[in-house]
């Protein structure tokens, strides 16, 4: 390392670049150097000095930009290669030959495309370029495929750097301890200048607004840790609580940029730019989500990372349309924000969409929902294309770029709809799963049909707290009352008054009326797959809940080994007495009801028809197996756990709290399986003896 730093200071970032310099040093004048290397030297800032030296002192004769999957021995998308020949001379007036093969697959296809380009230079992937043009771009990236128009954009232009700033970063040093998904914590501890604050962490391809689920511990004690811990970092204070433009640091596809509000602290994985003027922020957000930025970012960095310096290097062309552009951007943000907040995993969620667009019955509500969001989708699509057209005209790239946006690149309704044959097709199963999830939330008092947004979302809250909140909102008589004891059974039949299917039917009657109840119930069942509401709750609801809440569920299922006994609780309402109630008021009660059922079946065996007797015998055998399972579950699992009267602290997060209940609670891969449990037991900030 010391040798390389001393002798190859311009290429020390990687030995492969050192060998480029070493190879050139061995050549006589006008000698050739041919190599196959990683392509990072062509773009990354760490090789900027090397590129400048190569441009000035050598001639780029040929370059095959090979991209990934060139060699079978090197798999994946990360390693991307370039094959080149350099002359140890300069030819300022000549152009080198470049083949862009990065978008083609295996090496055999790249070979075919190379041979085709030799025969037909107009193929579309063969380029010639004067390497001195590369110096027109800050950092001198090897942008051989760029046109003269794009090179000219970089002449004497301001860049985003001139009107933005971004200094430092926030890095907790221990995400398991200091980061949470927002729904894990107490509502009263969340928000601006509170213990837990918004903390964007990047996320999937999404433009304009969204990917906001994470919060960070911003207490004074936590901030001291970020300042002192050797692997942690904290954002400079002057950039706290400022609006900005954010994106995802690492992405395997197209980049997308989003609005960032002034109650957030950005994460390393979500680089953010800040601006002194609101007009600048909105204008830059619009520019960044256009094909212009997509084209220019490939020049600075074609790798998976999109760094702040590269975004700030994008040139700004002066224009007189800033107010028109920013108005369009405001509309795009508004639509995307509304769509993001339509899901209950948003901190600004208010009400399920089928109720928001309520019609005469559920089917009409679904139609109204589709009409509304179809209009929103295509209006957003039209606005994006108009914005692209405006910026393409501003930058004078009408001959280079198209304003067209594929419908697949519109980033709202990704869960609720798909593009099929260029048509927007709604996924009714997903839409009604969201409806069912909201219904369960109302059963537990997390939500209410009488009050928008969160209701019960603090640790240990009760039905009395629910009624008080509604009374404070001038609702004296709730239309739908949550479950009193925070325990809802999910069994094979309606064994209890608060059975989840019975409660859902009541919810449906209250929310959509009794006049079309049977029709509404049948339509909901049809949209969920037609297997029956009970089967949906016993088989599909909990896996969907785990997925929807990213393996950090807010509703927890306590379940016997084969699922003969299941009850659901809401973790925010959990108390140390909850499992005793599960044991005494549900498991034991269920067992007694099953014994009574055995007596009824015995009577049928003595008095019924031959067929009835056969069915009764089968049912008795099944119930006896269930009773054996319940007895073992009580003796070996539930009673010992209930006797401990376990406390939870929501601030510890679902991963820790869920693992306190051993085998009493349903196993979820990645949450409380063997590997997850072993991980939690290594946390040095919890009482490890509480993990079972």
């Amino acid at each position: 390392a010391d040798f390389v730093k001393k002798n190859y200071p311009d290429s020390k970032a990687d030995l492969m670049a050192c060998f480029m310099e070493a190879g050139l040093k061995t050549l006589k004048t006008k000698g050739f150097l041919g190599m196959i290397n990683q392509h990072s030297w062509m773009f990354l800032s760490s090789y900027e000095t090397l590129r400048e030296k190569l441009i000035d002192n050598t001639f780029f004769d040929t370059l095959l930009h090979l991209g990934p999957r060139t060699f079978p021995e090197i798999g994946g998308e990360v390693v991307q290669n370039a094959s080149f020949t350099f002359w140890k001379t300069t030819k300022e007036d000549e152009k080198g030959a470049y083949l862009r093969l990065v978008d083609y697959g295996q090496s055999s296809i790249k070979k075919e495309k190379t041979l085709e380009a030799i025969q037909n230079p107009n193929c579309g992937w063969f380029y010639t370029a004067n390497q001195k043009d590369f110096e027109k771009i800050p950092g001198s990236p090897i942008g051989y495929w760029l046109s003269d128009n794009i090179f000219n954009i970089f002449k004497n232009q301001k860049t985003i750097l001139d009107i933005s700033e971004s200094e430092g970063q926030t890095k907790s040093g221990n995400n398991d301890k200091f980061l949470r998904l927002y729904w894990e914590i107490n509502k009263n501890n969340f928000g601006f200048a509170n213990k837990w604050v918004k903390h964007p962490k990047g996320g999937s391809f999404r433009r304009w607004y969204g990917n906001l689920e994470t919060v960070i511990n911003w207490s004074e004690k936590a901030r001291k840790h970020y300042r002192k811990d050797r692997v942690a970092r904290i954002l400079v204070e002057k950039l706290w609580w400022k609006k900005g433009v954010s994106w995802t640091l690492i992405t395997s596809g197209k980049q997308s940029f989003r609005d960032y509000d002034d109650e957030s602290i950005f994460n390393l994985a979500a680089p953010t730019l800040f601006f002194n003027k609101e007009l600048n922020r909105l204008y830059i957000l619009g520019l960044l989500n256009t094909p212009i930025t997509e084209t220019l970012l490939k020049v600075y960095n074609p790798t998976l990372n999109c760094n702040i310096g590269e975004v700030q290097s994008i040139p700004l062309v002066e224009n007189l349309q800033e107010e028109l552009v920013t108005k369009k951007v405001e509309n795009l943000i508004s639509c995307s924000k509304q769509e993001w907040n339509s899901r209950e995993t948003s901190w600004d969620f208010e009400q399920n969409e089928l109720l928001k667009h309520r019609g005469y019955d559920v089917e009409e509500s679904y139609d109204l929902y589709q009409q509304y969001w179809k209009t929103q989708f295509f209006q957003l699509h039209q606005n994006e294309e108009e914005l692209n057209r405006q910026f393409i005209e501003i930058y004078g790239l009408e001959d280079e770029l198209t304003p067209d946006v594929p419908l697949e690149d519109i980033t709202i309704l990704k869960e609720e709809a798909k593009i099929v044959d260029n048509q927007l097709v709604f996924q009714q199963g997903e839409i009604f799963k969201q409806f069912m999830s909201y219904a369960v939330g109302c059963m537990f008092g997390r939500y209410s049909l009488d009050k928008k947004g969160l209701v019960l979302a603090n640790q240990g809250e009760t039905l009395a707290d629910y009624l008080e909140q509604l009374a404070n909102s001038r609702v004296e008589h709730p239309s739908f009352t949550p479950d009193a004891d925070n325990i809802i059974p999910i069994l094979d039949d309606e064994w209890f008054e608060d059975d989840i299917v019975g409660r859902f039917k009541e919810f449906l009657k209250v929310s959509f009326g009794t006049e079309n109840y049977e029709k509404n119930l049948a339509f909901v069942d049809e949209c969920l797959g037609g297997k029956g509401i009970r089967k949906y709750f016993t088989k599909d609801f909990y896996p969907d809940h785990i997925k929807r809440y990213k393996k950090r569920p807010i509703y927890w299922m306590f379940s016997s080994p084969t699922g003969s006994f299941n009850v659901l609780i809401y973790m925010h309402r959990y108390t140390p007495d909850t499992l005793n109630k599960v044991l005494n008021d549900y498991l034991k009660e269920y067992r007694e009801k099953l014994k009574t059922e055995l007596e009824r079946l015995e009577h049928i065996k003595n008095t019924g028809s031959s067929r009835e007797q056969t069915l009764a015998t089968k049912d008795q055998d099944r119930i006896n197996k269930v009773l054996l399972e319940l007895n073992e579950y009580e003796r070996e699992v539930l009673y010992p756990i209930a006797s401990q009267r376990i406390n939870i602290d929501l601030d510890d997060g679902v991963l820790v709290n869920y693992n306190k209940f051993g085998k009493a609670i349903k196993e979820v891969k990645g949450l409380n399986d063997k590997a997850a449990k072993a991980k939690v037991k290594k946390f040095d900030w919890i009482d490890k003896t509480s993990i079972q």
Side-chain angles (χ1 to χ4, degrees), residues 117-129:
I118 293 170
Q119 299 297 324
N120 177 24
N122 296 320
C123 60
W125 55 91
F126 179 90
Y127 298 86
T128 60

Side-chain angles (χ1 to χ4, degrees), residues 177-371:
K177 182 177 181 180
F178 293 104
L179 267 58
R180 298 284 178 268
L181 295 171
Y182 103 90
W183 53 79
E184 299 183 72
I185 60 173
N186 284 298
K187 177 177 68 173
N188 288 344
N189 290 343
F190 165 68
F192 173 68
N194 217 317
K195 178 175 182 178
W196 298 98
V197 301
K198 298 177 183 179
H199 189 55
K201 280 187 84 268
S204 60
F205 177 59
R206 184 177 176 90
R207 294 189 179 116
W208 309 115
Y209 187 89
N211 290 355
L212 303 169
E213 296 171 331
T214 308
V215 295
I216 187 171
N217 187 336
W218 208 246
S219 63
E220 184 177 351
K221 182 178 179 181
R223 296 199 304 271
K224 286 181 180 178
H225 161 79
Y226 306 146
R227 289 188 177 97
K228 293 182 179 179
D229 187 83
R230 63 184 182 84
V231 296
R233 301 286 186 275
I234 189 168
L235 185 68
V236 294
E237 194 163 351
K238 69 175 183 177
L239 297 181
W240 296 5
W241 325 125
K242 292 189 69 174
K243 291 183 178 181
V245 172
S246 183
W247 64 94
T248 303
L249 176 65
I250 302 175
T251 176
S252 59
K254 293 182 178 180
Q255 189 53 265
S256 53
F257 297 82
R258 293 172 290 277
D259 190 40
Y260 177 100
D261 70 29
D262 54 5
E263 295 184 359
S264 303
I265 298 293
F266 80 88
N267 181 272
L268 172 67
T272 303
L273 296 178
F274 301 97
F275 305 84
N276 290 328
K277 296 181 180 178
E278 177 80 355
L279 195 65
N280 286 343
R281 180 177 65 84
L282 295 173
Y283 183 83
I284 295 304
L285 177 58
L287 169 64
L288 292 177
N289 277 325
T290 66
I292 294 170
T293 294
E294 184 181 343
T295 299
L296 297 180
L297 281 179
K298 289 178 181 177
V299 180
Y300 291 117
N301 190 354
T303 67
L304 300 181
N305 287 16
C306 183
N307 298 299
I308 287 175
E310 291 146 8
V311 174
Q312 287 183 314
S313 296
I314 292 173
L316 293 175
V317 176
E318 292 187 9
N319 73 94
L320 302 176
Q321 302 181 39
E322 281 197 12
E323 291 190 8
L324 292 174
V325 167
T326 53
K327 191 69 175 177
K328 190 78 67 183
V329 173
E330 285 177 337
N331 291 336
L332 288 161
I333 294 171
S334 176
C335 179
S336 185
K337 185 175 185 178
Q338 182 187 358
E339 186 266 355
W340 178 260
N341 292 337
S342 70
R343 302 186 189 95
E344 63 182 63
T345 47
S346 164
W347 43 55
D348 290 319
F349 171 78
E350 292 186 343
Q351 184 183 34
N352 178 262
E353 287 296 292
L354 292 179
L355 293 171
K356 189 175 292 185
H357 301 281
R358 181 160 26 190
Y360 176 67
D361 55 23
V362 176
E363 186 172 7
E364 184 178 74
S365 299
Y366 179 49
D367 288 340
L368 291 172
Y369 165 87
Q370 292 182 88
Q371 292 172 27

Side-chain angles (χ1 to χ4, degrees), residues 56-217:
D56 288 339
N57 300 310
T58 64
F59 175 64
F60 296 6
D61 184 60
T62 60
L63 188 146
L64 274 67
H65 195 181
L66 299 167
R69 303 183 304 279
T70 304
F71 304 103
E73 299 84 356
I74 305 176
E77 301 291 320
V78 176
V79 179
Q80 301 202 41
N81 303 102
S83 171
F84 55 83
T85 56
F86 290 164
W87 277 26
K88 191 175 182 180
T89 186
T90 57
K91 297 184 176 184
E92 293 190 4
D93 296 329
E94 293 191 26
K95 294 184 177 183
Y98 301 81
L99 270 67
R100 187 171 178 81
L101 305 172
V102 294
D103 297 324
Y104 300 109
Q106 302 301 323
S107 56
S108 59
I109 300 175
K110 297 178 192 292
K111 179 179 178 181
E112 291 175 8
K113 294 297 182 181
T114 301
L115 295 173
E116 185 177 342
I118 293 170
Q119 299 297 324
N120 177 24
N122 296 320
C123 60
W125 55 91
F126 179 90
Y127 298 86
T128 60
N130 187 321
Q131 64 197 58
K132 297 301 288 183
D133 285 337
F134 303 152
E135 295 179 325
K136 297 176 181 177
I137 308 173
S140 303
I142 312 302
Y144 60 85
W145 65 91
L146 301 178
S147 68
D148 290 340
N149 286 339
I150 293 180
F151 279 122
N152 289 334
I153 289 174
F154 289 95
K155 287 183 178 180
N156 303 318
Q157 297 288 356
K158 290 198 307 182
T159 66
I160 293 176
L161 175 63
D162 295 314
I163 60 170
S164 69
E165 62 178 330
S166 186
E167 184 180 341
Q169 63 190 35
T170 301
K171 183 180 176 184
S172 76
N174 188 339
N175 286 352
D176 289 314
K177 182 177 181 180
F178 293 104
L179 267 58
R180 298 284 178 268
L181 295 171
Y182 103 90
W183 53 79
E184 299 183 72
I185 60 173
N186 284 298
K187 177 177 68 173
N188 288 344
N189 290 343
F190 165 68
F192 173 68
N194 217 317
K195 178 175 182 178
W196 298 98
V197 301
K198 298 177 183 179
H199 189 55
K201 280 187 84 268
S204 60
F205 177 59
R206 184 177 176 90
R207 294 189 179 116
W208 309 115
Y209 187 89
N211 290 355
L212 303 169
E213 296 171 331
T214 308
V215 295
I216 187 171
N217 187 336

Side-chain angles (χ1 to χ4, degrees), residues 364-413:
E364 184 178 74
S365 299
Y366 179 49
D367 288 340
L368 291 172
Y369 165 87
Q370 292 182 88
Q371 292 172 27
Y372 178 82
W373 279 108
K374 185 175 183 179
T375 300
Q376 294 296 103
F377 181 91
F378 285 104
Q379 183 62 59
L380 187 144
H381 179 254
Q382 180 181 334
N383 285 342
E384 283 200 10
E385 291 195 332
E386 289 179 1
L387 188 70
N388 288 346
R389 189 173 293 107
Q390 284 179 292
F391 272 108
I392 288 171
E393 289 177 0
I394 291 169
Y395 278 73
L397 296 175
E398 293 90 339
D399 296 333
E400 311 284 334
L401 301 173
T402 172
D404 298 342
V405 179
L407 293 180
E408 289 81 2
D409 285 353
I410 298 300
T411 56
I412 64 169
L413 302 177

